Amino acid sequence: MTTARTATPSTARAINDRLALNLLLEQGPLTATELRDLTGLSRPTVADLLDRLQRTGLVAVVGERGEQRRGPNARVYALVASRAHIAAFDVRAGGVSLVVADLAGQALATAEIPVEGAGGPGTAAVITTTLLETARGAGVERLHTVAVGAPGLVDPATGRLQSTGNLPAWHAELLAALEQLPGADVILENEVNLAGRAEYRVGAARDRDTFVLMWLGHSVGAAVILDGRLRRGFSGGTGEICFLPVPGTVGLPSADSCEGGFHDLVGSAAICDLARAHGLPAAPAGDAAAAEAVVRAAVAPGAGEADGRFLDELAERIAIGTASVCVVLDPGCVVLGGEIGRAGGAELAGRVERRLARLSPLSTEVRAGTAGGGAVLAGAVLTAGDAVRRDLFGEP
């Protein structure tokens, strides 16, 4: 026999506070009447929670509104977004992008820090100093949480980064330096997982609780969201599809290299090679920018027959790896992200969907990502913001 638990007054107050804070975060400034209508709480309860939240510094009166009522104007309450500040990083081999934001996720300042070659022993210190200077320039003296998106496996048990390729030493050094920032919590996450969160919360998969993000760019990876939860796997390796053995490559991948895996079919260098094979101009560098440019040109209005053949073969290659994922997970929806997914847009996504339908008996919609080129940063901001709200709002 189970006994129903009755919420204590303190628990009920905490739940009501979280409800009001999240509404103010999502919908912006509200009057007490609007909060009552949205929450269903009584007038005394809303008055009590607003008084309590003002004392904690999380909510403040920001104005009045009286155009739709008689008598005194109604006070308008808003979340105090400056109550806490966060930073987000997108760490790549060639440098980092960072953003400093407030509690509501509003960007206050950004910075781009290129790193040449393998970097040097002072690279991590330069990046950390730039972060602090960028924050101070925006009037921020203390960071509550720093979220970092980086390539590699993030061990779910330890939170440590394990490289699956030849990542520069300064990546690990940067993480160690950030962890020394006074009073700041540091969250490390695989960069594709962060992009997946961005597509789930603000991008192409907002209406889906289950989907897979296929990240196509210089690197190849996937983020798996099942029943609204990001899945990492035992060692953090869920989505390392660059190592997926597929037909059409000249060999097989190994524990030390993804060469011969799915990466060799749809990585940026492979896409540039494919474009040249179809007589299309592609920079010999084979980097993500070159691959993005050739795909963007191929889907542009007025593109020729060679462009269409190139897109067909590229879609066939993407569908091969995608089918392998779909027959195992049956996500029902696949989002194409990264530089290539963004450049190909709906045109490439539609071609992949048609080819996937011939390879798999499972119905799968393919969409173009909409979180944009800053998807990793957007996901990092969301992740850091969630952590701050768990702390300040008392969210579970």
Side-chain angles (χ1 to χ4, degrees):
M1 177 179 177
T2 59
T3 302
R5 295 183 179 181
T6 302
T8 65
S10 61
T11 301
R13 284 194 295 271
I15 293 171
N16 292 339
D17 288 356
R18 287 197 298 270
L19 179 58
L21 286 167
N22 280 314
L23 283 169
L24 291 170
L25 176 67
E26 295 165 2
Q27 301 200 22
L30 298 168
T31 65
T33 299
E34 289 167 337
L35 275 172
R36 290 199 302 271
D37 292 341
L38 290 168
T39 61
L41 299 174
S42 68
R43 182 187 299 269
T45 299
V46 170
D48 179 57
L49 72 83
L50 285 172
D51 180 64
R52 185 167 55 250
L53 293 175
Q54 287 180 88
R55 291 198 305 270
T56 65
L58 283 169
V59 168
V61 177
V62 295
E64 293 183 341
R65 191 181 301 157
E67 59 273 10
Q68 294 182 345
R69 69 192 299 272
R70 294 181 178 179
N73 290 344
R75 291 179 175 179
V76 178
Y77 299 87
L79 182 74
V80 179
S82 60
R83 180 67 169 74
H85 295 93
I86 61 177
F89 276 85
D90 179 3
V91 179
R92 303 295 178 94
V96 304
S97 302
L98 69 87
V99 59
V100 176
D102 61 22
L103 176 58
Q106 181 65 42
L108 304 176
T110 62
E112 297 281 343
I113 310 166
V115 176
E116 295 184 2
T123 299
V126 169
I127 295 172
T128 306
T129 299
T130 302
L131 166 65
L132 296 176
E133 291 175 347
T134 302
R136 292 191 188 105
V140 176
E141 294 296 328
R142 179 183 179 275
L143 293 169
H144 183 288
T145 301
V146 179
V148 181
L153 305 183
V154 179
D155 190 314
T158 66
R160 309 313 301 175
L161 180 67
Q162 175 187 344
S163 172
T164 56
N166 297 317
L167 295 180
W170 64 263
H171 280 204
E173 294 166 0
L174 174 60
L175 293 170
L178 292 174
E179 288 171 348
Q180 298 303 310
L181 293 176
D185 293 328
V186 178
I187 301 172
L188 173 65
E189 182 61 272
N190 173 268
E191 90 276 37
V192 179
N193 284 345
L194 290 179
R197 278 184 171 162
E199 294 291 356
Y200 179 49
R201 297 271 289 273
V202 298
R206 282 174 292 177
D207 62 335
R208 292 278 187 168
D209 283 335
T210 295
F211 76 99
V212 170
L213 168 68
M214 301 290 284
W215 185 265
L216 306 168
H218 177 67
S219 59
V220 178
V224 177
I225 306 286
L226 301 179
D227 300 322
R229 294 181 58 191
L230 175 68
R231 306 295 174 156
R232 296 181 178 83
F234 176 74
S235 61
T238 297
E240 288 294 322
I241 58 171
C242 57
F243 288 89
L244 184 69
V246 291
T249 63
V250 296
L252 289 173
S254 68
D256 301 318
S257 173
C258 61
E259 292 184 11
F262 187 45
H263 176 85
D264 274 8
L265 281 187
V266 295
S268 56
I271 291 174
C272 288
D273 289 343
L274 179 63
R276 287 191 292 271
H278 284 277
L280 303 178
D287 58 18
E292 179 182 2
V294 72
V295 173
R296 193 176 300 281
V299 300
E305 292 184 6
D307 298 276
R309 291 192 296 270
F310 160 72
L311 286 176
D312 283 341
E313 187 168 348
L314 176 58
E316 189 77 41
R317 291 184 177 194
I318 295 171
I320 288 172
T322 303
S324 300
V325 173
C326 289
V327 296
V328 174
L329 298 177
D330 188 18
C333 178
V334 169
V335 175
L336 303 184
E339 295 88 352
I340 306 309
R342 185 172 69 251
E347 178 66 28
L348 179 61
R351 292 174 188 246
V352 173
E353 181 175 310
R354 290 190 291 273
R355 281 149 184 78
L356 186 60
R358 298 201 297 264
L359 292 174
S360 167
L362 307 177
S363 177
T364 307
E365 181 183 4
V366 180
R367 301 177 178 179
T370 60
V376 175
L377 270 182
V381 168
L382 290 167
T383 298
D386 288 348
V388 174
R389 288 189 289 278
R390 283 194 296 270
D391 183 21
L392 299 184
F393 296 8
E395 293 187 344

